[in-house]
Amino acid sequence: MKINYKNILKSVIVLSVLAGTGTGCKKFLEAPPPESIPKEVALADEAGVKSVMNSAYQIVGGGNMFGGKIQAINEMLADQLDGILFNGDFGEIYGRKTSVFGAYKNDMYQDMYQAIFRANTVLENLDKATTMHDNLEGQAKFIRALSHFELVKLFAQPYGFSSDNSHLGVPLRLNTAINAGVRATVKQVYDLIIEDLKAAEIKLPEVNGGYATKWAAKALLAKVYFQMNDFNNAYAYANQVIESKKFTLDATYSLRFSEAGSAESIFQIISTRGAYEAGGELRTQFRSDISLPTMKFTSAFYAFVNTSSDVRKAWFNAVKYPGNIVITKYNSDRFNVPVIHLTEMKLIRAEAAAENNANLDVAIKDVNEILNRAYAGTKSIPSNSSAALIKTNARFEHSIEMAGEGNRISEIKRIGARGENVDKRGSVWNCPGFVLQFPQGEMATNTSFQRNPEGNCF
């Protein structure tokens, strides 16, 4: 069956799914039945365009994207989970040998392009936006960039795999036309992502009631440039976000995934009781207070955090289910899901500074702020630390701080593109199995579609 990216406009539109902090959003049961709102009515005015934009956020925050599946799939590909008992789709992903089948990843792929389709729908109807033209344009380009970024990281070899990045990436979809999938090069994909985000940082306001902001665009640019190993730009954008003073490190780790929200969230999926409760798939796969979850961590990884002074060991439980190590980050009925947060920005700025061998005093301060919180003030690096020591500590803390958040595989590939194999399961950074296979539905749109090689990581 072909993937139908246009089905959401058979009948539109749902409702506002991301509300500003402290504000409510309309409940699903109070919304008009979707089938009662035809396309020509839904897109007749600015309110209709805003509803389409909200529906794009709904996809981004849903279970098939940042509600949990992106994190779960990234973690399964990486090296911190104990997946020896995984089978079916999970067994394929963990075994780094995915095929055209596998509904778990294929549903994620389709929803990523659904988010892009909805963003494109907004961009094609900006003439209806009388008061929010620039804001909606910025939001749509942010969502389109974010979705293409997650796609290219998972379904293509990383930036730096080829000298000119002419290796195949993912299809770029820049309008709502239903065309056969054709893979752009990785360079073309990254160029588009950067172009969209630079437009978004200009168009978006600094405060936006729970939606993407100028700072979210800048933070995502920092992540994109960091993934490209472009340390000058990664430092510059992370620095802008940090020095804005708009975000502060949480005093305790309990706030990062909480219903109250985190002071360091730069872009988050906001959970609203009874209307849109984010993180359902995270709870399904990782939650450990009710029963043994599917996602468990290796004893080798746990050893890194299981020290007498590391406060973060509270993120894990090695006692409740004997022989299993589980994470506790997601042990709550409701929480906001931070997609980009200040901890990550500080670690990016620190490592980028070390790679540039510049602004080392700033990098040392960043690392020590992370260490001070993690080790309750008992650990730091010297004020005259070398670039090499800063980089080692930034990378190590990155791997601990973002455990279970779907970041580790990006680091394995990014660092690998610099010539270092850091995968703890022993795979070479550019092995075929680190790249997910495209769904059969995508290939059915184009008989000449070039699929990824499969497996061969061990």
Side-chain angles (χ1 to χ4, degrees):
M1 178 182 291
K2 294 183 180 180
I3 296 174
N4 181 4
Y5 299 108
K6 208 165 186 175
N7 61 13
I8 58 131
L9 289 185
K10 290 178 180 176
S11 57
V12 210
I13 287 302
V14 197
L15 61 146
S16 175
V17 293
L18 285 182
T21 303
T23 64
C25 82
K26 195 173 183 182
K27 295 181 180 179
F28 285 112
L29 293 178
E30 296 173 357
E35 65 273 11
S36 71
I37 312 175
K39 173 183 174 181
E40 60 272 16
V41 174
L43 292 171
D45 54 21
E46 182 172 274
V49 179
K50 286 171 63 178
S51 292
V52 178
M53 191 68 253
N54 289 331
S55 75
Y57 283 104
Q58 181 187 31
I59 291 290
V60 169
N64 283 336
M65 286 189 65
F66 287 103
K69 196 167 284 188
I70 283 177
Q71 295 91 326
I73 288 176
N74 275 283
E75 291 295 335
M76 284 187 278
L77 282 171
D79 59 3
Q80 295 176 344
L81 292 185
D82 178 0
I84 192 169
L85 297 179
F86 287 165
N87 54 37
D89 289 2
F90 287 11
E92 277 198 357
I93 296 167
Y94 181 77
R96 297 169 179 169
K97 53 182 179 183
T98 58
S99 68
V100 297
F101 306 107
Y104 198 77
K105 73 169 175 63
N106 291 355
D107 289 347
M108 177 191 68
Y109 182 89
Q110 177 164 332
D111 265 14
M112 286 175 168
Y113 278 112
Q114 280 281 16
I116 290 168
F117 183 88
R118 297 179 190 209
N120 285 334
T121 301
V122 170
L123 294 172
E124 291 176 4
N125 287 275
L126 286 174
D127 59 307
K128 315 292 195 325
T130 54
T131 64
M132 292 187 63
H133 183 285
D134 284 3
N135 194 332
L136 287 169
E137 180 181 352
Q139 290 183 55
K141 288 187 174 179
F142 175 85
I143 293 299
R144 187 168 72 177
L146 177 65
S147 301
H148 276 129
F149 184 48
E150 294 302 322
L151 281 159
V152 78
K153 286 192 297 174
L154 282 169
F155 288 88
Q157 289 287 4
Y159 199 92
F161 173 77
S162 61
S163 60
D164 58 358
N165 294 293
S166 61
H167 56 290
L168 291 178
V170 296
L172 283 177
R173 291 189 161 96
L174 308 182
N175 53 57
T176 59
I178 306 303
N179 297 320
V182 177
R183 296 177 70 177
T185 67
V186 164
K187 182 181 187 306
Q188 289 170 329
V189 177
Y190 272 85
D191 284 350
L192 185 278
I193 291 168
I194 291 169
E195 180 184 330
D196 273 352
L197 290 175
K198 287 190 172 181
E201 72 168 317
I202 294 170
K203 299 286 186 179
L204 287 170
E206 295 194 11
V207 178
N208 206 16
Y211 297 90
T213 65
K214 179 185 300 292
W215 303 111
K218 289 177 182 289
L220 187 51
L221 275 164
K223 283 174 62 79
V224 170
Y225 281 122
F226 193 61
Q227 195 65 35
M228 298 166 66
N229 289 311
D230 179 344
F231 299 115
N232 287 329
N233 278 309
Y235 181 94
Y237 274 100
N239 188 61
Q240 287 182 53
V241 175
I242 295 166
E243 296 305 318
S244 74
K245 310 299 183 185
K246 302 285 185 183
F247 315 97
T248 56
L249 287 180
D250 292 326
T252 64
Y253 290 105
S254 63
L255 295 174
R256 186 178 295 178
F257 292 88
S258 69
E259 194 171 7
S262 165
E264 61 178 279
S265 288
I266 302 163
F267 177 66
Q268 63 181 328
I269 308 302
I270 298 174
S271 185
T272 306
R273 286 197 180 210
Y276 189 81
E277 299 186 354
E281 184 65 12
L282 286 171
R283 287 185 285 272
T284 296
Q285 303 301 340
F286 290 92
R287 186 172 184 171
S288 60
D289 55 335
I290 297 174
S291 61
L292 179 65
T294 305
M295 303 298 166
K296 300 173 282 289
F297 287 75
T298 67
S299 56
F301 171 69
Y302 180 58
F304 290 131
V305 70
N306 186 28
T307 65
S308 59
S309 57
D310 195 334
V311 176
R312 293 169 301 192
K313 64 177 174 289
W315 269 345
F316 301 90
N317 190 323
V319 176
K320 187 176 179 66
Y321 308 102
N324 297 283
I325 298 161
V326 295
I327 200 165
T328 64
K329 277 186 180 181
Y330 308 117
N331 288 359
S332 176
D333 290 341
R334 299 171 189 87
F335 47 77
N336 295 348
V337 179
V339 176
I340 313 174
H341 51 68
L342 186 62
T343 292
E344 185 177 15
M345 288 296 103
K346 284 187 169 288
L347 291 168
I348 285 174
R349 184 170 74 168
E351 186 171 342
E355 290 284 5
N356 290 331
N357 198 26
N359 301 300
L360 297 188
D361 55 333
V362 174
I364 292 165
K365 182 174 182 292
D366 284 339
V367 170
N368 281 337
E369 284 185 2
I370 301 299
L371 291 173
N372 180 69
R373 182 177 62 177
Y375 297 92
T378 64
K379 184 176 180 179
S380 63
I381 59 174
S383 60
N384 63 345
S385 293
S386 66
L389 182 63
I390 294 167
K391 182 170 73 171
T392 296
N393 276 271
R395 286 184 179 179
F396 181 79
E397 298 309 316
H398 210 145
S399 71
I400 303 296
E401 287 282 338
M402 300 193 69
E405 296 182 34
N407 180 257
R408 175 62 182 169
I409 190 62
S410 295
E411 286 293 275
I412 291 171
K413 293 180 180 182
R414 179 188 68 81
I415 295 169
R418 292 184 60 73
E420 303 173 58
N421 286 312
V422 297
D423 175 54
K424 297 293 192 286
R425 288 206 273 153
S427 294
V428 178
W429 67 274
N430 57 359
C431 68
F434 269 146
V435 180
L436 297 178
Q437 185 58 271
F438 290 91
Q440 181 62 39
E442 179 67 275
M443 289 185 272
T445 68
N446 179 2
T447 56
S448 299
F449 191 93
Q450 190 166 335
R451 61 192 285 173
N452 284 324
E454 294 179 3
N456 191 29
C457 267
F458 298 104

